[in-house]
Amino acid sequence: MVGLSGAVIRIQQFLISPSMEVDAVSILKSITPSLEASKHKGQAGKIAVVGGCREYTGAPYFSAISALKIGADLSHVFCTKDAAPVIKGYSPVLIVHPILEESYSVRDEDEKSILEKVIEEVDKWMERFDCLVIGPGLGRDPFLLVEKNSIRKFDCVSNIMKHARQSNVPMVIDGDGLFLVTNSLDLISGYPLAVLTPNVNEIEGATIFRKGVSDFISNGETVHSVSSFGSPRRCGGQGDILSGSVAVFVSWARQLAGEPSMSATVMGCIAGSVVLRKAASQAFERNRRSMLTIDIIQHLGTSLEELCPVLVSR
Ligand SMILES: NC(=O)C1=CN([C@@H]2O[C@H](COP(=O)(O)OP(=O)(O)OC[C@H]3O[C@@H](n4cnc5c(N)ncnc54)[C@H](O)[C@@H]3O)[C@@H](O)[C@H]2O)[C@@H](O)CC1
Ligand SMILES: Nc1ncnc2c1ncn2[C@@H]1O[C@H](COP(=O)(O)OP(=O)(O)OP(=O)(O)O)[C@@H](O)[C@H]1O
Ligand SMILES: [Mg+2]
């Protein structure tokens, strides 16, 4: 396990490691499944986003809707009670669970029983999920994410992550989920099915996707870059599209037969990067300075189709 200062040194090593521009489109094509009339609902992926609180409702929406736009069959959001009606109002296609509690609505003596209820609710679904996204718009409430050395004994999201890990469910960790893991590295340390998507970082065992002018993806051994043209607009929420997209591609990559030369998490990150960058470039061409995150979401389908045309088997 590495501490935060260790993680910072590793960021520097990560950045100076030689990286190779990867053939991202070939990887995308190799993991994207065909559409077959015989397939049933759920086989193309069931994704769950854990995030959304009073302040942030956009981030979990962007992430969850992007998973559907990439091609997942079902997309769930586990959020606080206050955020749920707002997120439901954005779209009827998302399945929204208003189960998380913030500390202002929980008495100290009720914490344990409420935590148990939250975990019971999530556990009902856990085995069915192909990938979780932890953190978009989660906020920093101490009953959601416990801080290091806090006197607080319980928090909801660490426990959800522990249960996901026990069930071998992959996790893409972004936004406030990154804040949580930098305070509790053991949540993901040594877990090969964790993907972290910070602006810069590295933690042993997990796959790191460092976002920027070029995206760098590493599992600690090799570094792959994706530098295809994206967009010069940096409006908020593009990282959320990425987390939802990567979740779907990781779940697809895990279905590959044989022994692929890269891990499912690395392949899923590469595929997510190339599709998002293409969608961002298309959205920017059309909207220029007024390009918004929702414009990129509208181009996810056409970008994926251009890079990896759909194959329909009857
Ligand atoms: N419309 C919306 O509702 C939006 C909400 N957003 C949410 O807003 C909240 C704050 O997002 P910000 O963009 O300010 O924060 P970031 O997504 O940049 O980072 C969140 C946290 O991750 C950690 N982190 C990131 N990079 C790190 C590194 N290299 N090393 C160590 N730790 C690192 C830090 O604790 C940081 O505060 C998040 O919940 C985010 O999901 C954003 O996603 C933008 C859109
Ligand atoms: N300077 C850049 N030029 C081109 N593309 C970029 C640049 N920076 C980031 N990107 C692309 O945008 C994607 C999202 O990265 P970004 O840095 O916007 O995330 P973020 O800051 O976490 O977003 P959010 O607002 O959702 O929190 C990256 O994967 C990358 O492909
Ligand atoms: Mg972000």
Side-chain angles (χ1 to χ4, degrees), residues 174 197 199 209 211-213 215 230-232 234-240 242 273 276-277:
D174 187 42
T197 54
N199 298 342
F209 183 130
K211 302 171 282 196
V213 179
D215 288 333
S231 155
R234 299 262 53 78
C235 49
Q238 297 181 54
D240 303 317
L242 182 79
S273 172
L276 169 57
R277 294 172 78 95

Side-chain angles (χ1 to χ4, degrees), residues 71-130:
D73 286 337
L74 295 166
S75 196
H76 294 241
V77 178
F78 290 87
C79 59
T80 67
K81 292 189 169 138
D82 292 330
V86 182
I87 298 171
K88 283 177 201 260
Y90 293 147
S91 170
V93 299
L94 301 177
I95 300 163
V96 183
H97 306 259
I99 58 156
L100 300 180
E101 299 271 5
E102 291 182 71
S103 51
Y104 66 84
S105 63
V106 176
R107 289 185 311 182
D108 288 358
E109 59 270 32
D110 295 337
E111 275 187 4
K112 190 162 181 283
S113 60
I114 291 179
L115 173 67
E116 280 166 3
K117 253 200 214 147
V118 168
I119 296 301
E120 195 184 300
E121 271 305 304
V122 179
D123 268 354
K124 277 190 210 157
W125 297 89
M126 189 65 87
E127 299 280 340
R128 304 185 215 176
F129 293 135
D130 299 301

Side-chain angles (χ1 to χ4, degrees), residues 49-53 56 59-60 63 133-139 172 174-177 240 243:
V49 175
V50 179
C53 64
Y56 306 122
S63 186
V133 183
I134 306 282
L138 195 55
V172 177
D174 187 42
D176 298 308
D240 303 317
S243 64

Side-chain angles (χ1 to χ4, degrees), residues 129-181:
F129 293 135
D130 299 301
C131 192
L132 298 185
V133 183
I134 306 282
L138 195 55
R140 297 281 174 88
D141 184 273
F143 190 54
L144 292 174
L145 327 167
V146 77
E147 289 188 24
K148 201 173 190 169
N149 304 326
S150 159
I151 48 156
R152 199 169 276 271
K153 287 200 210 98
F154 309 107
D155 78 283
C156 298
V157 179
S158 308
N159 281 284
I160 293 174
M161 290 177 72
K162 285 177 194 160
H163 282 238
R165 193 171 169 164
Q166 276 162 10
S167 304
N168 251 358
V169 177
M171 287 183 269
V172 177
I173 299 150
D174 187 42
D176 298 308
L178 293 170
F179 175 75
L180 172 64
V181 297

